Amino acid sequence: MKITTDGLVIWESKTGEADRVITLLTENGIITAYAKNSLRPKNKLTSPTSMLCFSNFELYSGTNMYTVDDAQIKHRFIKLSTDVNGYSLAAYFCELLKLLAPIEDAAEDFLSLMTNSLYLINEGKKPLFLIKSVFEMRIMCLAGYMPDIAECAECGESNSAGGFFDVTNGVFYCESCVKKSGRAVNIGAAAVSAIRHIISAEGGKIFSFDIGVASLSALKDVSEAYVCTHVDHRLPTLEFYNSLTT
Ligand SMILES: [Zn+2]
């Protein structure tokens, strides 16, 4: 059976003499496909099947994976190829998508989160650590790990001046109740508000909120801790990104 779909290449590996196996993120989930001769310089598949290329694919279904029959580039995030930090962050996002996005099931929200994030990295319009935190919190929500921070998990207060986030349980405590929680981290009310925004805003608006430097630093720490706590997997791309930026 032949299908046509738009997809973002989120992983590629060499196989055979000059072939690639690629992982695509599409609106219908993750698809794995074999792209014959796509590592030969003048092959028609070479560019559209390369990492982080958004292309239209014609695919034949096979026993274990699809085979790419044809592909046309729709969009390239060109500046990423010369931006080591930005590219490394994008590779980390790809690794999270491979672990968390559904396989051959509805994934429009994952694709839109990724393309919006790549656009911002490529254009340099937001600091990388802000894009990283927003992506981390949002992908965890999409994958079923939405934190419950509308109100204090103990007393139900929703307008507390403080903000204590329990990374393990994904809940929030007010200043009065934090002693009972045991392991909640003080991230401040502004960072809690930012997380509430990231969880609930629509589309590209998730990246638009005002936050002070100290609160942004708290958000940065807590979003990464939230991913690492709930994704039970080593993340080499995160380790590499952090080695560049810290
Ligand atoms: Zn409370």
Side-chain angles (χ1 to χ4, degrees):
M1 189 179 74
K2 188 175 184 179
I3 63 164
T4 301
T5 182
D6 289 342
L8 178 75
V9 181
I10 60 167
W11 217 258
E12 60 167 79
S13 59
K14 182 175 186 276
T15 185
E17 197 179 319
D19 309 333
R20 281 184 178 121
V21 172
I22 54 172
T23 304
L24 302 176
L25 177 64
T26 76
E27 284 189 348
N28 297 308
I30 286 185
I31 286 176
T32 306
Y34 179 75
K36 190 167 178 58
N37 290 325
S38 61
L39 286 170
R40 297 196 191 282
K42 291 183 180 172
N43 189 272
K44 65 177 181 178
L45 299 181
T46 303
S47 290
T49 61
S50 59
M51 186 73 177
L52 295 173
C53 214
F54 187 72
S55 305
N56 181 264
F57 293 89
E58 291 180 19
L59 306 166
Y60 282 108
S61 58
T63 313
N64 297 318
M65 67 177 78
Y66 288 87
T67 299
V68 182
D69 185 45
D70 200 2
Q72 307 289 334
I73 293 176
K74 292 191 83 172
H75 189 77
R76 291 201 82 161
F77 300 94
I78 290 174
K79 293 177 196 161
L80 282 181
S81 59
T82 54
D83 171 7
V84 176
N85 289 0
Y87 186 90
S88 303
L89 183 59
Y92 166 51
F93 292 171
C94 288
E95 185 164 32
L96 286 181
L97 286 163
K98 275 186 74 184
L99 291 168
L100 298 172
I103 295 169
E104 298 194 37
D105 200 357
E108 297 97 332
D109 292 343
F110 287 88
L111 183 59
S112 131
L113 172 63
M114 183 58 169
T115 51
N116 285 336
S117 301
L118 289 180
Y119 171 78
L120 290 173
I121 297 172
N122 192 59
E123 296 300 314
K125 292 191 170 178
K126 298 273 184 193
L128 292 183
F129 56 87
L130 174 70
I131 301 169
K132 174 174 174 285
S133 284
V134 172
F135 186 95
E136 287 172 329
M137 290 311 301
R138 188 72 172 206
I139 195 171
M140 295 310 287
C141 294
L142 295 178
Y145 299 94
M146 184 180 287
D148 182 6
I149 59 166
E151 55 191 26
C152 170
E154 188 72 28
C155 72
E157 170 65 51
S158 60
N159 292 312
S160 164
F164 295 81
F165 186 58
D166 177 343
V167 167
T168 305
N169 296 305
V171 294
F172 150 77
Y173 291 96
C174 74
E175 201 151 14
S176 311
C177 299
V178 68
K179 285 180 187 157
K180 298 174 196 163
S181 76
R183 53 192 165 190
V185 183
N186 185 4
I187 61 171
V192 171
S193 294
I195 294 173
R196 285 179 180 147
H197 173 83
I198 295 164
I199 288 171
S200 59
E202 297 285 329
K205 290 179 187 159
I206 55 174
F207 296 95
S208 301
F209 53 90
D210 293 323
I211 187 167
V213 174
S215 300
L216 190 51
S217 175
L219 176 64
K220 176 171 166 261
D221 291 342
V222 83
S223 63
E224 184 173 311
Y226 196 60
V227 166
C228 292
T229 300
H230 295 282
V231 175
D232 187 20
H233 206 279
R234 202 179 139 238
L235 297 164
T237 51
L238 173 61
E239 291 165 15
F240 183 70
Y241 173 76
N242 282 339
S243 76
L244 295 175
T245 57
T246 53

